[in-house]
Amino acid sequence: MPDMRDDPSEFGAEPGPEMPEPANLKFLRRLVTVLTVVMIAGVVTVIGLLVIRLQAPSLPDLPESITLPAGVVAEAVTFGGDWIAVVAGDEILIYGAGDGALRQRIAVGGGAE
């Protein structure tokens, strides 16, 4: 069996200039390259944001203890910038986040309408 490298004209292939690349193929190649760059940038951005967010402190500065008034049972607690709110029955108690001192009592109307 003859080798094509010996004489390409034997097999119907004529040596000559290469065919120009079709415009659609050139566009597709550029599109795939741009998509690859955008995906790499997106993955790097997501990883960077995850690292930044996971290193942030998750809890606010809390006082050592908070003393509730006698007979009050806490049902929910939420944190603000410099305050802590304790929901207890028909009232909301606002404490200072730094010292844990009671700042304000807010009555919540719980009557039937």
Side-chain angles (χ1 to χ4, degrees):
M1 178 186 233
D3 192 354
M4 187 172 172
R5 289 176 289 185
D6 296 337
D7 185 11
S9 61
E10 254 182 68
F11 299 97
E14 303 222 359
E18 292 186 25
M19 293 179 49
E21 186 176 22
N24 288 343
L25 186 59
K26 188 181 289 187
F27 173 72
L28 183 62
R29 180 178 294 135
R30 288 182 181 159
L31 194 64
V32 168
T33 303
V34 169
L35 178 63
T36 302
V37 169
V38 169
M39 287 179 63
I40 290 171
V43 168
V44 168
T45 302
V46 167
I47 290 172
L49 289 173
L50 282 173
V51 167
I52 290 169
R53 293 292 291 172
L54 292 177
Q55 288 180 351
S58 58
L59 290 177
D61 293 331
L62 300 175
E64 287 294 319
S65 65
I66 293 178
T67 305
L68 296 176
V72 173
V73 177
E75 295 177 5
V77 177
T78 189
F79 305 99
D82 64 342
W83 52 268
I84 300 170
V86 178
V87 178
D90 292 350
E91 62 184 347
I92 300 172
L93 307 169
I94 307 294
Y95 291 89
D99 58 1
L102 181 62
R103 288 187 187 173
Q104 185 177 5
R105 290 179 91 151
I106 302 169
V108 179
E113 294 181 22

